Amino acid sequence: MYDYKFSFADEDSFNTFLDIVYDEELWCNSCRKEKSVVVISIFESTAEYLYKLIEEKGLKVLQ
């Protein structure tokens, strides 16, 4: 299990991703100032699922 950090380009993408994380009942730390979310102790397959949701919803992720 790993921690995954997701950083977003805008506030809307950040907020939408937080909604996803909460809906999936995952543990996370977030920083509104940096627009980043660290999802804690998830499997690689869960991270892939989150990346797929990010893509489907058109969220703006920073590299």
Side-chain angles (χ1 to χ4, degrees):
M1 297 178 84
Y2 303 95
D3 296 347
Y4 287 84
K5 183 176 182 179
F6 301 85
S7 297
F8 297 92
D10 61 50
E11 192 76 22
D12 289 337
S13 294
F14 171 78
N15 289 330
T16 300
F17 186 73
L18 274 181
D19 289 344
I20 292 168
V21 170
Y22 294 141
D23 287 347
E24 296 294 329
E25 299 181 355
L26 300 171
W27 289 96
C28 74
N29 291 321
S30 63
C31 178
R32 192 162 298 282
K33 180 180 176 185
E34 294 180 10
K35 294 186 275 299
S36 66
V37 179
V38 177
V39 184
I40 302 168
S41 296
I42 59 174
F43 292 108
E44 191 172 326
S45 60
T46 304
E48 290 171 3
Y49 170 71
L50 291 174
Y51 280 114
K52 182 179 176 184
L53 288 176
I54 287 169
E55 185 177 311
E56 286 176 2
K57 294 187 177 287
L59 305 181
K60 297 172 185 160
V61 180
L62 298 176
Q63 296 293 334

